[in-house]
Amino acid sequence: MKNYQMGIDISKEKLNICLKEGTHTVREEEIKNTVAAIKKCVKRIEKESGVTNNDLLVCAEFTGRYIYPLVCACDEMGLFLWMEDPTRIKNSFGVTRGKDDRVDARRIAEYAFRFSDKAVAYKMPDKTLVSLKNLLTDRDTLANDRKKYETQLRDQKGYMDAEDYRRKKRSWSAVVKTLDKQIALIDDEIQRLVESDEKIKHQAELLKTVDGVGDRIAVRMVVVTMAFTRFETSRQFNCYAGLAPFRYTSGKSIYSKSKVSQRANKQIKSLLHLAAVSVATHMKSGEYKDYYKRKTEEGKHPMCVLNVIRAKLVSRMFAVVKRDEAYQRNYMIFTPT
C-alpha cells in the first residue's frame, strides 16, 4: 500500500491536485494541464514533502483525451497512475451536495486511500491503437454530420419553394461530397495502419472469418478491446457493450424482466446489431438463421433473439483470437428425441 495518495481532477486547461497521507491532507494546488507543468509539480512535491515515487499513488478519473498530458508525465517519471471510472468514484461517496474542482480532487484522493487495494496501474496503450481510435472517432463525427445533411435534404424536399430547395441542395450536396471524400481518406489511413501492424492485422483477419464480421467491426473490436487485452472474457465485454441482461427485483413489490443496461458503448453495440440482423435474416442459411427462426417460432421476442446472436458473435470473436485460429462453420443441429 502506498503511503501517499494524490487525487487529480482533470479539466481541459488545468489540473487540481490534492495530496493526502492517509486521511491527512498534505497540500492542494492548481496547475496547467501540460506535461512540463505536471512533472515540475510532482518534483517539487517530492522535494518539499519528502515523498518518493515508490510511496506515491496517483489517482484520476478517466475523462477521455484530456488525460493525455498526465499519462505521458507519469509514464516518463515512472509513477503509479490509477485511472478510475468516474462513475465508481461518484457512487462511492453516496449522497453528496455541491462540487467544484478542488472538492473533486479531495474526493479522488480519499477514494484512492479507501480503495488502494483495488488500484490497477494504467499502461500506455499501443501507439497504433491510439491512432486507430482517434481515426475512428473522427470518422464517427464526419459520418454523423453526413447523415444530418442527407436527412435534411431528404425530409425537406416538397416542403419549401422549389428554387429554395435547389439552392439548398446545391450547397449541401457539395458538403456531403466533401464529407464523403474525407471519410474515404480516413478509411484509407485506417487500412494503412492496420496493414502496418502485424498483430492488429492478424487479429482483424481472424475476426473476419466469423459470419457477419467485416472490416469495420473487426477493426473496431481490436481497438475497443485494446487488441483483446482489456477484457479477459467475452462476458465482460458483453457487459461493456450493453449486451448482457440484468434482473431488477426487490421483494414482492418490484419485479421486471431481465433487460440490458443503457450504460454501454453504443457505437460497437450498433455495429454488432447490424451484424446480428445480417446473419439472422439476410443470409440464405447458417447457424444464426436457424437459431433465429427456431426461437421466434417458439414465441421469443425478435429483439431478445437478436441480442443473444450479438452475444454469440462476440463469443466467437473472442474465441478465434484466444485460440489463434480461424472460425470453423461446421455445426450440428440438435434434435430432441
Side-chain angles (χ1 to χ4, degrees):
M1 180 177 176
K2 305 290 186 179
N3 295 324
Y4 293 86
Q5 298 79 36
M6 180 182 289
I8 300 181
D9 181 72
I10 303 174
S11 58
K12 181 179 180 179
E13 297 180 352
K14 62 184 179 68
L15 303 179
N16 283 83
I17 295 175
C18 176
L19 179 67
K20 281 182 172 288
E21 184 181 8
T23 57
H24 171 64
T25 300
V26 178
R27 64 188 298 161
E28 296 175 306
E29 59 182 285
E30 182 179 297
I31 63 173
K32 292 183 178 180
N33 189 10
T34 64
V35 175
I38 295 170
K39 293 172 66 175
K40 182 179 179 181
C41 174
V42 172
K43 289 178 180 178
R44 183 173 66 252
I45 289 175
E46 290 181 340
K47 181 179 180 180
E48 296 177 359
S49 303
V51 184
T52 63
N53 284 5
N54 293 332
D55 278 340
L56 183 60
L57 169 61
V58 181
C59 182
E61 296 176 334
F62 190 93
T63 54
R65 294 186 177 181
Y66 298 155
I67 71 170
Y68 184 73
L70 177 63
V71 171
C72 292
C74 290
D75 183 65
E76 292 176 12
M77 299 185 71
L79 294 171
F80 189 110
L81 174 62
W82 181 17
M83 300 302 304
E84 183 58 294
D85 183 354
T87 305
R88 289 184 179 178
I89 296 178
K90 180 180 179 181
N91 292 341
S92 70
F93 288 96
V95 179
T96 58
R97 292 175 175 83
K99 73 180 291 297
D100 58 38
D101 294 341
R102 188 177 181 183
V103 170
D104 287 344
R106 292 176 185 171
R107 289 173 178 169
I108 294 171
E110 182 179 344
Y111 179 88
F113 170 69
R114 290 169 56 194
F115 301 99
S116 59
D117 58 316
K118 298 182 179 180
V120 178
Y122 182 82
K123 296 181 181 179
M124 284 282 285
D126 180 80
K127 186 178 184 301
T128 304
L129 288 173
V130 173
S131 298
L132 285 172
K133 182 179 179 180
N134 290 332
L135 286 170
L136 289 173
T137 301
D138 293 343
R139 191 189 190 285
D140 289 340
T141 301
L142 294 176
N144 289 334
D145 288 343
R146 179 180 62 183
K147 183 178 180 181
K148 177 181 66 176
Y149 288 111
E150 290 175 339
T151 301
Q152 289 284 327
L153 287 174
R154 182 172 62 253
D155 291 349
Q156 292 183 11
K157 185 177 182 180
Y159 295 96
M160 63 172 59
D161 180 76
E163 182 59 32
D164 289 342
Y165 179 77
R166 283 194 292 270
R167 175 188 53 78
K168 173 174 286 193
K169 184 177 180 180
R170 267 196 313 271
S171 59
W172 284 16
S173 293
V175 174
V176 170
K177 288 181 180 179
T178 301
L179 291 173
D180 286 336
K181 182 178 179 181
Q182 293 303 316
I183 291 174
L185 291 174
I186 289 177
D187 287 338
D188 291 341
E189 181 63 16
I190 290 174
Q191 186 61 34
R192 186 191 67 79
L193 286 175
V194 170
E195 294 290 336
S196 67
D197 191 294
E198 287 298 324
K199 182 179 180 180
I200 295 175
K201 179 182 177 181
H202 180 62
Q203 288 189 352
E205 292 297 328
L206 287 174
L207 294 177
K208 287 189 288 186
T209 63
V210 179
D211 289 337
V213 178
D215 289 327
R216 287 185 61 192
I217 296 180
V219 174
R220 182 81 63 166
M221 283 292 296
V222 173
V223 172
V224 169
T225 62
M226 290 296 172
F228 288 84
T229 60
R230 184 178 176 186
F231 304 94
E232 294 183 4
T233 66
S234 60
R235 290 175 179 266
Q236 293 178 352
F237 181 84
N238 286 338
C239 290
Y240 168 80
L243 308 181
F246 293 91
R247 183 178 298 173
Y248 296 85
T249 62
S250 179
K252 296 182 178 179
S253 59
I254 299 177
Y255 176 80
S256 70
K257 294 182 179 179
S258 298
K259 55 185 178 181
V260 297
S261 173
Q262 292 302 310
R263 186 178 296 166
N265 185 318
K266 298 299 179 63
Q267 287 84 8
I268 192 64
K269 183 177 182 179
S270 177
L271 288 175
L272 289 170
H273 178 72
L274 293 176
V277 171
S278 175
V279 297
T281 62
H282 295 172
M283 293 183 68
K284 293 182 179 180
S285 62
E287 59 175 316
Y288 305 108
K289 189 175 184 68
D290 295 337
Y291 178 84
Y292 181 80
K293 181 180 179 181
R294 185 172 73 255
K295 289 300 181 180
T296 51
E297 288 176 350
E298 291 174 0
K300 297 290 185 180
H301 194 284
M303 281 302 298
C304 291
V305 182
L306 286 174
N307 190 63
V308 174
I309 294 176
R310 287 186 293 195
K312 285 178 176 288
L313 290 173
V314 171
S315 177
R316 281 150 178 74
M317 284 189 278
F318 269 76
V320 297
V321 172
K322 298 299 182 183
R323 297 176 183 177
D324 194 24
E325 60 183 45
Y327 178 65
Q328 303 296 325
R329 291 179 175 80
N330 299 324
Y331 72 100
M332 298 176 62
I333 299 177
F334 174 74
T335 305
T337 56

